[in-house]
Amino acid sequence: LQGKRTLITGGDSGIGAAVAIAYAREGADVAIAYLPDEEKDAGAIAALVEKAGRKAVLCPCDISNEAQAEQLIERVTTELGGLDVLVNNAAYQRYYESFDDITLDDWRKTFETNVHAVFNLTRLAVPHLGDGGSVINTASVNSKKPTPNILPYSATKGALANLTIGLAGLLAEKGIRVNAVL
């Protein structure tokens, strides 16, 4: 990853934070997208990226907001001088005691964050990725074996796994790889 310019959504914690740190240690500059309330965590991960000798760009935003997603891609490509790798890692998940607890608003929020935002960020990033670019989507074992009490999340991860396969076919002609990690 030496010299690669990367954007990791949800890079302030969990899998996203681990990816940000690992990418920096492998030589990549890292932009971290995170919800504004997670500033402290994102700052700690950025410090570790910089400790590895790489550039860190902190990008507070809600990726499900179309205008903020556009601003995110514009900022990242400007501050990093382009984009080579997009890691769609951010996700929304909520536990439900029963089916009756799942509201349509919760269902929509989960799909807005976990599916629609991934499509939109990929759409916005593709003109910057070019030949040799890569999109990596964080899916889940729930895409193959859904957990009933997180049904909306599980459904989005199934959609994301399918979206990944479709994007891989569509973007191959541009030299852009698209993969999912479960």
Side-chain angles (χ1 to χ4, degrees), residues 79-157:
E79 292 196 32
L80 294 181
L83 185 63
D84 301 300
V85 180
L86 169 63
V87 179
N88 288 306
N89 174 71
Y92 174 75
Q93 177 182 309
R94 182 170 169 207
Y95 182 87
Y96 300 92
E97 290 293 328
S98 73
F99 177 77
D100 296 334
D101 293 338
I102 303 170
T103 67
L104 187 55
D105 284 342
D106 284 343
W107 184 266
R108 285 183 176 131
K109 178 179 180 175
T110 308
F111 269 84
E112 284 294 328
T113 302
N114 300 2
V115 179
H116 303 314
V118 169
F119 170 78
N120 189 42
L121 283 171
T122 302
R123 179 185 69 83
L124 294 167
V126 162
H128 303 282
L129 292 172
D131 191 28
S134 180
V135 176
I136 303 166
N137 297 323
T138 302
S140 169
V141 296
N142 281 283
S143 65
K144 303 216 179 272
K145 187 176 180 196
T147 302
N149 293 98
I150 55 172
L151 178 63
Y153 175 84
S154 295
T156 64
K157 293 304 179 170

Side-chain angles (χ1 to χ4, degrees), residues 151-168:
L151 178 63
Y153 175 84
S154 295
T156 64
K157 293 304 179 170
L160 185 57
N162 189 281
L163 176 65
T164 299
I165 294 166
L167 286 172

